[in-house]
Amino acid sequence: MEKPIYLKDSEDAKLFNELRKKVNQRVEAIPENRDLYIQIKAILLPLIYFGLYVFAILNAEKTWVYILSFVLMGISLVLIYLNLIHEAAHNNIYKSKRLNNLVLQIFDFVGANSYIWKKRHIASHHAYPNVDGWDTDIEQSGLLLIVPWVKAKGVQKYQHFFFFLVYPLYLFNWMFIRDFRDFFDKERVILKTQGAIPAKEKIKMVAYKLFYFFYQIAVPVLFFKVSVGLALGGWFLQVIAASIFALFVLLPLHPLPDNAFPKLDEKNGLPFSWLHHQFEVTNDLKENNWFVRNVLGNFNFHVAHHLFPNYSYLYYNEITEEIEEFAREHHLAYKRFPIFTALGKHVDLLKQNANNAYYILEE
């Protein structure tokens, strides 16, 4: 199938070259190598995650210590994703691709799959954000409808009443369903963006999944006399905590009613140039403090990431200043909301889609 084609606009190409020059000059003027801080995190954060695991099983006789440790593992898992996995996929931690791939493989040890996630993120989400049928991040599940111009059916008409029950199960779906479907279901979006998945990657995926469940659940039961109920409960709460935390950070950045979900024309063409597309489908968050910048991986500055993914998040504060000023000068659709406003807007999107507001407006 032919891939989507961005609108050709020579003026927009010149605009982006101008913006890129400004951004490059701004970053080059920063004296220190900030990526060193991420390299420290590449050691520290995995040590925290697995340190909490060891602490939990060595204190298994204290139920509350075991459960709390696993819940904190869920929080640290998301921090590993935001600060390390995401940056390693873009080769932003080390100059060496081999070292970045080594960091990326941490994902395999925590229940996900580094191979297919990188494919999803780079070849699908970054290539065609918010484009139905091409962006895996908005691939429809059947339960929840994200794309406004797809008509709601069945339970989707009531999604705004029960979404809060579904979202905490986000990572369970990822671990048990999504990864397997992306590897073995020929109808999945990811297979449009790349060739056949090598057999060795399929074997590795299954092997890592088995190892993950072995050390998370079987090891505490078999070797540390943890009850089956406690082992399952601790692991379950870890994944619930990670799901809620991850979606709290990720949901406010693309799937909002203020952002476009561009439709392909009959020739597989998109309505915007690449530059305009990134502004139309992405928004930033207003929160900008030490915690957001250094703990949450600067996901508040998401427009900067889509325009300049080759820079690590530690430079996004300055890059965003350049983007914001440039957008004002050239009337680009730069959007920035407080996080709770953005989360509320996401709920509004679910309500609108459930009520088929797009079709009502069209009529």
Side-chain angles (χ1 to χ4, degrees):
M1 182 181 290
E2 186 182 350
K3 293 180 179 180
I5 302 167
Y6 284 102
L7 180 69
K8 297 289 190 295
D9 189 319
S10 58
E11 288 303 312
D12 278 5
K14 290 178 183 177
L15 274 182
F16 181 65
N17 285 334
E18 184 183 339
L19 175 60
R20 181 166 52 192
K21 184 178 179 180
K22 288 176 179 288
V23 166
N24 289 343
Q25 288 175 344
R26 182 72 181 272
V27 173
E28 287 167 7
I30 297 171
E32 77 272 26
N33 175 21
R34 294 180 182 175
D35 293 336
L36 178 63
Y37 295 106
I38 307 182
Q39 292 166 14
I40 293 171
K41 290 180 184 180
I43 298 170
L44 185 62
L45 288 175
L47 283 177
I48 290 173
Y49 181 85
F50 291 106
L52 284 166
Y53 169 76
V54 171
F55 183 75
I57 59 177
L58 292 180
N59 291 275
E61 72 281 358
K62 300 174 183 175
T63 301
W64 69 270
V65 171
Y66 188 90
I67 290 176
L68 180 59
S69 297
F70 267 74
V71 168
L72 292 175
M73 284 170 66
I75 301 299
S76 62
L77 168 59
V78 178
L79 297 182
I80 287 171
Y81 167 77
L82 295 175
N83 290 275
L84 303 182
I85 303 301
H86 186 255
E87 293 302 311
H90 291 283
N91 294 307
N92 286 340
I93 300 179
Y94 301 102
K95 291 181 180 179
S96 164
K97 285 189 176 182
R98 185 180 65 82
L99 288 176
N100 284 306
N101 285 333
L102 196 62
V103 173
L104 191 63
Q105 286 176 15
I106 296 170
F107 229 20
D108 298 314
F109 289 93
V110 293
N113 180 266
S114 60
Y115 174 86
I116 205 68
W117 181 81
K118 185 174 181 178
K119 295 289 185 184
R120 286 187 200 124
H121 188 67
I122 304 295
S124 177
H125 175 63
H126 266 268
Y128 314 107
N130 271 22
V131 178
D132 185 40
W134 291 91
D135 181 0
T136 56
D137 281 13
I138 59 168
E139 193 166 7
Q140 304 303 302
S141 67
L143 279 177
L144 299 176
L145 178 63
I146 300 297
V147 180
W149 47 265
V150 175
K151 198 162 188 176
K153 298 177 182 178
V155 295
Q156 292 172 346
K157 295 178 181 179
Y158 311 98
Q159 62 183 14
H160 50 304
F161 295 120
F162 66 79
F163 73 92
F164 64 91
L165 298 175
V166 176
Y167 279 169
L169 306 177
Y170 172 62
L171 291 182
F172 291 105
N173 176 68
W174 191 338
M175 292 176 181
F176 291 108
I177 300 173
R178 189 181 183 189
D179 281 348
F180 286 94
R181 289 191 66 190
D182 280 353
F183 269 93
F184 300 107
D185 184 347
K186 294 180 181 179
E187 301 299 316
R188 297 291 281 177
V189 165
I190 189 63
L191 294 182
K192 295 180 183 180
T193 63
Q194 55 138 51
I197 296 172
K200 69 174 184 178
E201 293 297 338
K202 296 178 181 179
I203 294 169
K204 282 170 61 178
M205 187 269 288
V206 174
Y208 273 117
K209 295 274 188 188
L210 291 173
F211 176 72
Y212 169 75
F213 291 112
F214 174 72
Y215 86 79
Q216 289 273 334
I217 298 169
V219 166
V221 172
L222 296 176
F223 302 104
F224 293 91
K225 298 180 180 179
V226 175
S227 69
V228 173
L230 180 58
L232 288 172
W235 170 76
F236 180 81
L237 291 174
Q238 174 193 173
V239 181
I240 290 285
S243 297
I244 294 171
F245 186 25
L247 290 177
F248 185 82
V249 177
L250 300 176
L251 280 177
L253 302 172
H254 289 289
L256 307 184
D258 305 72
N259 292 333
F261 291 81
K263 294 178 72 172
L264 296 167
D265 62 24
E266 63 278 2
K267 295 181 180 179
N268 243 30
L270 286 161
F272 306 117
S273 68
W274 180 85
L275 175 66
H276 267 79
H277 186 97
Q278 309 311 315
F279 280 102
E280 292 289 342
V281 304
T282 314
N283 63 273
D284 279 351
L285 300 177
K286 284 193 174 179
E287 284 72 20
N288 181 17
N289 51 52
W290 182 91
F291 181 79
V292 171
R293 289 195 300 270
N294 295 283
V295 178
L296 298 186
N298 249 344
F299 260 67
N300 56 322
F301 293 146
H302 209 58
V303 176
H305 175 61
H306 273 267
L307 289 173
F308 300 99
N310 55 311
Y311 285 118
S312 80
Y313 67 79
L314 289 170
Y315 298 95
Y316 287 170
N317 192 51
E318 289 85 354
I319 291 173
T320 298
E321 288 178 2
E322 296 295 331
I323 291 171
E324 203 167 2
E325 181 180 349
F326 193 82
R328 278 196 303 269
E329 290 176 3
H330 299 280
H331 309 291
L332 296 168
Y334 179 76
K335 302 174 290 291
R336 196 168 178 178
F337 309 113
I339 187 168
F340 288 106
T341 299
L343 287 168
K345 286 176 176 290
H346 176 73
V347 176
D348 290 340
L349 178 70
L350 295 179
K351 289 179 182 177
Q352 292 172 21
N353 292 352
N355 295 320
N356 289 317
Y358 175 86
Y359 287 90
I360 294 170
L361 289 172
E362 284 289 293
E363 291 172 3

